[in-house]
Amino acid sequence: WKRPKVEQRKASDLLIETLRIQTVVEVHEEMLEEYKVKPKTTPGIVDCFDLTQNFRKLINDDSRSDPNLSVFSGVRFIMIYWIILGHEYILCLFLASNLQDLEDLTSGPIISYIFGAEYAVDVFFFMSGFFFVYVFQKRFGAGGPRFIDYPLIVLHRILRIIPTYVVVALFLWKVIPFLGSGPFWQAFVESTNRSCTNSAWSDFLFINNLLISNVLANDCIGWGWYLACDSQIFILMPIFMALLLKSRLLGKATITGLLVASLVYSFFLSETYGFQALGATGMSEDYFTKYYLVPWTRAPPYLFGVLVGLWYIEERGRLSEKLARSRILQLVSAAVGILTMYWMIKITEPLFKDPNAYTRLQNSLIVSLSRTVFVAGLTALLLPGLVGSKLLQDLLGNNFFHVLSKLTFSTYLIHLVVILFIYSSVFLTHYEMFSRSLGSTVISFAIALLLSVFVELPFANLERILLKR
């Protein structure tokens, strides 16, 4: 048996073949690397509408850089529910089938708590002022923004509000009419169509509160007056912040002076037109157009929030040490706050029994001062939490409230659409109203979740890309 001949190859040929194979492999690896999908360092436009990402952002609790501010989460939820409950009662006055019982219902002690929901709006004004100065200071620091940043600040706010605002208005105007029926439905559809046709443009320009006297009856999104009023104050705030950056003392004195001037103006306005405390037994057209809807009379809680925000940034360290060491000081502060808010709510109760219970002077004092006093009481209640009290932070800042607080903007926009949709003929009792308000709240928050994930958060992400924030 003979071994077969094997072709002998030179070492140099083997080396050349090896190098050729290695070169081919390297070329293929480079091609694969070139076409390999690389992780994105910045989100694209399509990613802004990623539902999974937006929902994760909604429930994520890692974004809170300051745990002391978590107490505002519970406040937001409680205040939005109070507003929904108040609106339930107001609408029932027009739609209830047992108006003969109205006197008994409005003369009881509970009614002052219901219509005290007016204060909830002032709490949102207060929080707007607080967080404006807090975010402004945190972002721009002691140096302040550049001149070009001021229009971008305003643009940022408009872009955050308008998409959800437009979607809710179109839903009310063009979709809701095809979804319902009932004894009041046709009148509701005709009224909505007429109002939105005539006034939707003023809503989106944030001037409806200055142009329309009866916003609930004649405006497309009548309750959007708050957004207009808040935005009008917001637009002027960078001017005062620029003044604060030049002189802390002069800036604070100017803001305090504006607050006092607004209170004095409200007092003389009430004296002139005879307004009743918080419109408890009737809201005249003068009350709405000259006092309730306009920024120059609703600004005090906002400006008070700015002053509290400045204090929080500058002084909380020194006070927190004292409060942290003293449980008694914490309890005293919270007790003073609760009693102050309770007093402001109960002060209107006599007017439901007797519209002439207070003199003109007493009514004017309540009209001008009560809203600011109420948010001052809320500040005293929250003060222990703002300087580190774990009890208040756990109570008002838990994850449940934190998630729902992110939905309060969308909930505010949609809640009256829900209430108007589900109402037909209503039998008016306190039990009926509380149960209905809970249902309206759940439905409003459920729709608000969809609005937040599908509209508000995607456009917020898009706005960050457009402004490169």
Side-chain angles (χ1 to χ4, degrees):
W1 178 78
K2 294 182 179 180
R3 179 176 298 183
K5 294 181 178 181
V6 179
E7 185 178 355
Q8 302 292 322
R9 303 183 67 178
K10 296 180 179 179
S12 59
D13 293 338
L14 291 173
L15 179 60
I16 292 172
E17 187 69 22
T18 302
L19 289 175
R20 185 183 299 148
I21 294 172
Q22 184 177 351
T23 302
V24 172
V25 171
E26 288 176 352
V27 169
H28 278 279
E29 286 180 348
E30 288 177 2
M31 292 175 62
L32 289 172
E33 185 67 25
E34 181 179 352
Y35 289 100
K36 185 180 179 181
V37 178
K38 297 180 176 64
K40 295 180 180 179
T41 56
T42 57
I45 292 178
V46 175
D47 296 324
C48 295
F49 297 86
D50 185 335
L51 301 184
T52 304
Q53 175 181 306
N54 289 331
F55 185 76
R56 190 180 297 117
K57 184 182 297 184
L58 182 68
I59 64 175
N60 187 13
D61 196 28
D62 298 334
S63 61
R64 293 185 294 176
S65 58
D66 188 343
N68 292 343
L69 301 183
S70 64
V71 294
F72 286 109
S73 297
V75 173
R76 284 193 183 96
F77 174 80
I78 294 169
M79 292 303 127
I80 198 66
Y81 173 69
W82 202 5
I83 289 172
I84 293 173
L85 179 62
H87 281 158
E88 292 268 357
Y89 269 80
I90 290 173
L91 287 176
C92 267
L93 297 180
F94 301 100
L95 301 175
S97 60
N98 64 320
L99 291 180
Q100 68 275 8
D101 299 326
L102 183 62
E103 184 176 351
D104 293 334
L105 288 167
T106 56
S107 61
I110 197 173
I111 197 66
S112 59
Y113 296 99
I114 305 303
F115 286 95
E118 280 196 46
Y119 287 127
V121 178
D122 298 292
V123 172
F124 278 106
F125 278 127
F126 164 77
M127 290 190 290
S128 291
F130 181 96
F131 281 102
F132 175 87
V133 70
Y134 178 81
V135 173
F136 188 96
Q137 189 77 14
K138 183 179 178 182
R139 180 171 181 191
F140 297 110
R146 301 164 300 168
F147 180 78
I148 189 62
D149 288 326
Y150 287 101
L152 291 178
I153 291 170
V154 176
L155 179 61
H156 163 67
R157 179 179 177 86
I158 293 172
L159 292 177
R160 286 300 305 271
I161 293 176
I162 282 294
T164 311
Y165 205 0
V166 171
V167 167
V168 171
L170 290 176
F171 181 72
L172 173 65
W173 186 5
K174 298 299 183 181
V175 178
I176 281 288
F178 298 99
L179 302 181
S181 62
F184 298 101
W185 191 253
Q186 190 58 37
F188 164 64
V189 169
E190 292 175 359
S191 174
T192 299
N193 183 65
R194 181 174 61 253
S195 298
C196 290
T197 301
N198 295 333
S199 68
W201 63 272
S202 66
D203 294 343
F204 304 144
L205 291 177
F206 303 105
I207 56 174
N208 55 324
N209 63 320
L210 304 178
L211 299 180
I212 303 170
S213 58
N214 190 346
V215 290
L216 289 180
N218 301 323
D219 192 11
C220 182
I221 305 289
W223 53 103
W225 73 267
Y226 163 76
L227 296 176
C229 193
D230 190 275
S231 297
Q232 289 153 12
I233 302 172
F234 177 91
I235 289 172
L236 297 176
M237 283 310 301
I239 299 174
F240 301 121
M241 293 305 298
L243 189 60
L244 272 165
L245 292 172
K246 290 186 178 298
S247 171
R248 215 66 171 171
L249 180 61
L250 181 59
K252 290 178 182 178
T254 302
I255 293 172
T256 304
L258 288 172
L259 192 158
V260 173
S262 179
L263 295 177
V264 172
Y265 175 75
S266 297
F267 173 81
F268 284 107
L269 197 67
S270 181
E271 280 287 284
T272 302
Y273 292 96
F275 299 151
Q276 286 186 324
L278 272 77
T281 56
M283 296 184 181
S284 64
E285 184 174 341
D286 285 332
Y287 181 85
F288 264 107
T289 58
K290 293 180 170 59
Y291 173 76
Y292 190 81
L293 300 177
V294 292
W296 43 87
T297 53
R298 300 307 297 268
Y302 194 110
L303 297 176
F304 186 82
V306 170
L307 293 174
V308 174
L310 288 170
W311 166 85
Y312 181 77
I313 293 168
E314 298 171 356
E315 306 292 340
R316 68 185 174 99
R318 285 181 287 180
L319 184 58
S320 65
E321 294 179 3
K322 296 180 181 179
L323 280 174
R325 290 195 303 263
S326 176
R327 292 277 182 155
I328 295 177
L329 282 178
Q330 293 180 20
L331 291 174
V332 169
S333 179
V336 169
I338 292 172
L339 290 174
T340 301
M341 292 189 293
Y342 173 79
W343 179 43
M344 287 297 99
I345 292 172
K346 296 297 286 185
I347 202 170
T348 60
E349 186 175 313
L351 290 170
F352 290 100
K353 300 175 182 177
D354 178 11
N356 300 314
Y358 291 139
T359 65
R360 197 182 191 94
L361 175 61
Q362 290 172 323
N363 271 305
S364 297
L365 287 170
I366 296 172
V367 167
S368 58
L369 298 176
S370 59
R371 300 177 187 277
T372 307
V373 173
F374 185 88
V375 296
L378 177 66
T379 303
L381 171 62
L382 297 180
L383 190 58
L386 290 175
V387 296
S389 169
K390 295 300 181 184
L391 177 61
L392 269 180
Q393 290 178 10
D394 291 342
L395 183 64
L396 295 174
N398 58 66
N399 289 338
F400 175 77
F401 283 141
H402 181 64
V403 172
L404 292 181
S405 70
K406 295 181 180 180
L407 299 174
T408 51
F409 168 64
S410 295
T411 301
Y412 179 78
L413 283 177
I414 200 65
H415 80 280
L416 263 175
V417 179
V418 172
I419 294 173
L420 289 167
F421 177 73
I422 64 176
Y423 270 55
S424 53
S425 181
V426 181
F427 193 82
L428 186 58
T429 66
H430 289 310
Y431 173 79
E432 177 75 13
M433 297 317 304
F434 273 97
S435 60
R436 280 179 173 270
S437 68
L438 289 172
S440 297
T441 300
V442 172
I443 296 172
S444 297
F445 268 97
I447 299 175
L449 174 63
L450 298 178
L451 282 171
S452 183
V453 173
F454 282 93
V455 182
E456 184 182 356
L457 288 175
F459 279 94
N461 297 333
L462 187 60
E463 180 255 346
R464 290 190 185 94
I465 294 176
L466 295 175
L467 299 183
K468 296 181 180 179
R469 295 173 62 252

